[in-house]
Amino acid sequence: MRRCYFKTICIVIIAFITVLSAFGDEFTNDWQTKVIDDFNGDSEYVWKTDASRFITITDSETFPKLAYINTWPIAVFGSNFDGELELRSLGLHGRFDRRGYNWIDIFPTDPEAEDPDRPIEIPIPGRVRTFDMWVWGSNLNFYIEIFLRDYQGVIHSIRLGDIGYTGWRNLRANVPNNISQRRRVSADYAGLRFVKFRLWTQPVERVNDFYVYFKQFKILTDMFETYYDGHDLGDARRIRQLWAEASEED
């Protein structure tokens, strides 16, 4: 009886080790913080906006407006009044003609692309656990979402947080488990791509004139990756390259 019990325990342990080996990348600890954009105006991206139908457009002004403003969260960078560092934040000036569920999108573009106004998507390194960003609010009942695209092309939205407060605050959101960052077949890393931010207004809140500021958009991500014999055959770009070379030889 004891021998049978011992064998059962051994089988369970072996099975558990096998599962851990097969899904080893899910149990990693190479956590790193990476800044996607500091919003200081010196990154490779140019941020632009789009808005819903009731955005204010007059003969003299078009909203929304984006600009790099000489302001920042003192809790992160200090007062910096001596001017040794040139710090700025991305400022949004918005105005709508009507209250309601209005929205403003803020998305990255590539100034060196053939169409510099066309939105691009930013590859997110590693397997992301959290997104966070410093946001200045003026106690308006608005909230911010992050839009992400997974490796299958599906777009997901994550609510970063409400901005119904006054001053700077760090907003943080976890990436839910239902957003896949792993290929089902080859079990390889399959990174997410950042698409845009979306600021939503609420029907009960005024929208005739408002400002929001953004600073230091960053992630906490697991950069560990298991390499195995033939690891490159799980990479879609490498596969295309190899098959293209084979076709040329034929």
Side-chain angles (χ1 to χ4, degrees):
M1 183 68 179
R2 289 183 177 178
R3 180 177 295 180
C4 181
Y5 181 75
F6 178 75
K7 287 183 177 179
T8 302
I9 294 294
C10 291
I11 292 173
V12 172
I13 292 174
I14 292 172
F16 181 71
I17 293 174
T18 302
V19 171
L20 288 180
S21 300
F23 298 96
D25 286 356
E26 298 296 337
F27 300 92
T28 60
N29 57 0
D30 185 14
W31 296 106
Q32 299 181 24
T33 297
K34 292 186 175 292
V35 176
I36 303 302
D37 199 326
D38 202 37
F39 298 130
N40 210 43
D42 53 4
S43 76
E44 59 186 295
Y45 310 112
V46 174
W47 295 87
K48 298 193 176 181
T49 62
D50 190 15
S52 53
R53 59 181 296 188
F54 296 120
I55 195 70
T56 300
I57 299 177
T58 67
D59 293 337
S60 59
E61 287 186 297
T62 298
F63 291 88
K65 299 178 181 181
L66 279 181
Y68 288 102
I69 308 300
N70 293 323
T71 186
W72 55 86
I74 294 177
V76 181
F77 301 99
S79 57
N80 190 41
F81 291 132
D82 55 9
E84 291 182 0
L85 298 175
E86 185 177 353
L87 292 176
R88 295 186 293 177
S89 299
L90 183 63
L92 171 69
H93 184 190
R95 184 180 299 172
F96 286 95
D97 295 330
R98 298 185 186 181
R99 298 187 183 191
Y101 288 112
N102 303 298
W103 53 262
I104 295 175
D105 284 347
I106 304 172
F107 55 86
T109 64
D110 182 358
E112 298 183 357
E114 184 176 347
D115 182 1
D117 293 325
R118 182 178 180 179
I120 64 169
E121 298 178 1
I122 301 176
I124 303 297
R127 292 189 176 96
V128 188
R129 171 177 286 183
T130 61
F131 288 90
D132 76 86
M133 181 169 60
W134 284 86
V135 182
W136 184 93
S138 55
N139 206 29
L140 295 172
N141 190 19
F142 300 163
Y143 66 92
I144 298 173
E145 289 182 321
I146 294 176
F147 283 72
L148 306 167
R149 189 188 301 274
D150 67 21
Y151 76 97
Q152 295 178 311
V154 179
I155 293 181
H156 307 267
S157 64
I158 301 175
R159 187 156 174 159
L160 183 62
D162 300 345
I163 60 171
Y165 54 81
T166 302
W168 287 100
R169 185 174 295 182
N170 184 248
L171 301 183
R172 177 171 299 199
N174 293 327
V175 177
N177 293 329
N178 67 308
I179 299 181
S180 178
Q181 300 185 66
R182 182 187 186 90
R183 300 183 192 277
R184 182 185 64 83
V185 178
S186 62
D188 282 346
Y189 153 73
L192 300 174
R193 302 180 72 86
F194 169 81
V195 178
K196 63 186 177 183
F197 300 108
R198 173 166 286 184
L199 176 71
W200 283 97
T201 73
Q202 303 275 21
V204 296
E205 189 57 85
R206 67 173 185 84
V207 294
N208 59 317
D209 200 49
F210 58 88
Y211 296 87
V212 184
Y213 301 92
F214 309 93
K215 187 65 176 172
Q216 201 178 68
F217 175 42
K218 63 183 186 294
I219 60 173
L220 176 64
T221 185
D222 182 3
M223 296 298 293
F224 182 85
E225 182 70 14
T226 297
Y227 289 92
Y228 51 84
D229 192 0
H231 184 272
D232 60 332
L233 296 178
D235 183 87
R237 288 176 295 180
R238 179 58 175 161
I239 291 174
R240 287 194 295 269
Q241 178 186 352
L242 292 172
W243 282 83
E245 293 172 353
S247 298
E248 292 174 359
E249 292 176 358
D250 294 342

